[in-house]
């Protein structure tokens, strides 16, 4: 026993609500591609803007690039991602804030991006701003209702962000683009757009293997009716 050691962990409350939301997400992922009903995974994250105090030394033979440990904080920015895993297309948007108003703007952009779609199947987490109530907060009732009906709102369970395929895109973006100091939103936007364009040109998709049948086997102990 080493009681002074503590692991930080996200402990999900697993029960009937967790199970039905998980299966709804997995059943949505299992649907074949249909341009009239595209599946879009949506998420957001904050990014700390940092500037160098001392300019880094470039790499030379025998030495990697060297970066001074001191830096200057330059505020934060927010990143929204809308990722269509079956077509390998994604859009990343840099904003100053992550309020409900920015969320509504993202929903309006998605509506315009799929003009032929009957319903956009939107997979997202249960953040307080990620609800149709945000639409009614910032839009006239008729417009809010029409925009709400453009989406099928599919929510991941609480503390189960791993079920949102947009999280996989964040992981790749972090490794390939964001693990360095970017001081301004303009720099961040330029780097993110270059990354987005490259992955979209290559149509990088996700081969999702976890489905409802596998969930009922691997997570059988989490199903209330099995206990």
């Amino acid at each position: 026993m080493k009681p002074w050691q503590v692991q930080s962990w996200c402990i999900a409350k697993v029960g009937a609500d967790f199970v039905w939301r998980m299966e709804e997400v997995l059943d949505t992922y299992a649907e074949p591609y249909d341009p009239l009903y595209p599946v879009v995974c949506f998420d957001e994250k904050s990014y700390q803007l940092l500037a160098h105090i001392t300019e880094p030394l470039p790499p030379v033979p025998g030495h990697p690039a060297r970066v001074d440990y001191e830096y200057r904080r330059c505020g934060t920015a927010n990143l929204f991602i809308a990722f269509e895993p079956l077509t390998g297309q994604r859009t990343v948007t840099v904003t100053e804030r992550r309020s409900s108003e920015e969320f509504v703007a993202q929903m309006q952009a998605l509506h315009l991006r799929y003009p032929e779609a009957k319903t956009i199947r939107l997979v997202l987490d249960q953040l307080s701003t990620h609800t149709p109530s945000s639409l009614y907060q910032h839009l006239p009732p008729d417009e809010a209702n029409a925009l709400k009906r453009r989406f099928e709102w599919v929510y991941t369970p609480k503390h189960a962000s791993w079920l949102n395929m947009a999280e996989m895109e964040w992981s790749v973006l972090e490794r390939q683009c964001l693990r360095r100091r970017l001081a301004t939103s303009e720099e961040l936007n330029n780097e993110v757009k270059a990354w987005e364009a490259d992955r979209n040109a290559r149509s990088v998709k996700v081969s999702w293997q976890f489905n409802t049948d596998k969930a009922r086997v691997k997570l059988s102990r989490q199903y209330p009716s099995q206990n």
Side-chain angles (χ1 to χ4, degrees):
M1 293 287 290
K2 298 180 180 179
W4 60 89
Q5 293 186 354
V6 177
Q7 273 192 332
S8 179
W9 197 257
C10 181
I11 304 174
K13 183 178 180 181
V14 179
D17 185 73
F18 182 97
V19 166
W20 87 259
R21 290 188 184 278
M22 175 185 68
E23 290 203 354
E24 184 179 31
V25 172
L26 296 178
D27 289 345
T28 299
Y29 289 162
E31 292 289 334
Y33 174 69
D34 186 341
L36 297 180
Y37 299 91
V39 174
V40 178
C41 298
F42 181 86
D43 200 17
E44 61 187 83
K45 70 177 299 179
S46 295
Y47 181 78
Q48 176 73 58
L49 298 170
L50 302 173
H52 294 291
I53 294 177
T54 302
E55 283 301 309
L57 298 176
V60 295
H63 290 283
R66 283 166 286 183
V67 178
D68 193 272
Y69 67 89
E70 287 190 298
Y71 57 84
R72 183 176 70 254
R73 296 181 185 274
C74 302
T76 60
N78 182 67
L79 297 165
F80 287 106
I81 188 169
F83 172 51
E84 195 176 352
L86 294 180
T87 64
Q89 300 299 298
R90 75 276 295 138
T91 301
V92 184
T93 306
V94 177
T95 62
E96 291 185 3
R97 303 182 302 159
R98 53 181 296 179
S99 69
S100 58
E101 188 173 2
E102 279 73 30
F103 174 75
V104 172
Q106 291 297 304
M107 295 302 99
Q108 292 174 315
L110 279 176
H111 159 64
L112 296 175
R113 197 171 303 148
Y114 298 94
E116 305 300 325
K118 293 182 178 180
T119 301
I120 302 168
R121 293 167 172 165
L122 188 67
V123 179
L124 67 173
D125 63 27
Q126 296 188 53
L127 191 66
S128 60
T129 57
H130 290 178
T131 70
S133 65
S134 293
L135 309 183
Y136 284 87
Q137 183 178 352
H138 297 284
L139 299 174
D142 288 347
E143 189 176 344
N145 184 266
L147 187 56
K148 177 197 69 175
R149 296 175 63 183
R150 284 283 283 138
F151 300 97
E152 178 184 336
W153 303 80
V154 182
Y155 289 101
T156 61
K158 291 183 179 179
H159 302 300
S161 59
W162 56 273
L163 282 166
N164 189 339
M165 282 194 261
E167 291 283 340
M168 303 170 74
E169 287 295 294
W170 286 141
S171 178
V172 177
L173 177 61
E174 178 75 22
R175 294 196 312 271
Q176 296 182 347
C177 185
L178 299 183
R179 285 185 181 171
R180 51 203 169 110
R181 295 172 188 170
L182 299 171
T184 67
S185 294
E186 290 74 20
E187 287 182 65
L188 175 62
N189 186 66
N190 290 338
E191 295 297 329
V192 164
K193 286 304 178 184
W195 176 87
E196 173 194 306
D198 173 69
R199 286 179 73 79
N200 285 345
R202 294 184 288 117
S203 298
V204 181
K205 306 179 181 67
V206 170
S207 178
W208 186 266
Q209 301 297 315
F210 191 57
N211 56 33
T212 297
D213 290 339
K214 290 180 179 178
R216 291 177 181 177
V217 174
K218 293 186 176 182
L219 303 178
S220 60
R221 290 182 299 174
Q222 310 301 338
Y223 281 70
S225 60
Q226 303 299 317
N227 297 326

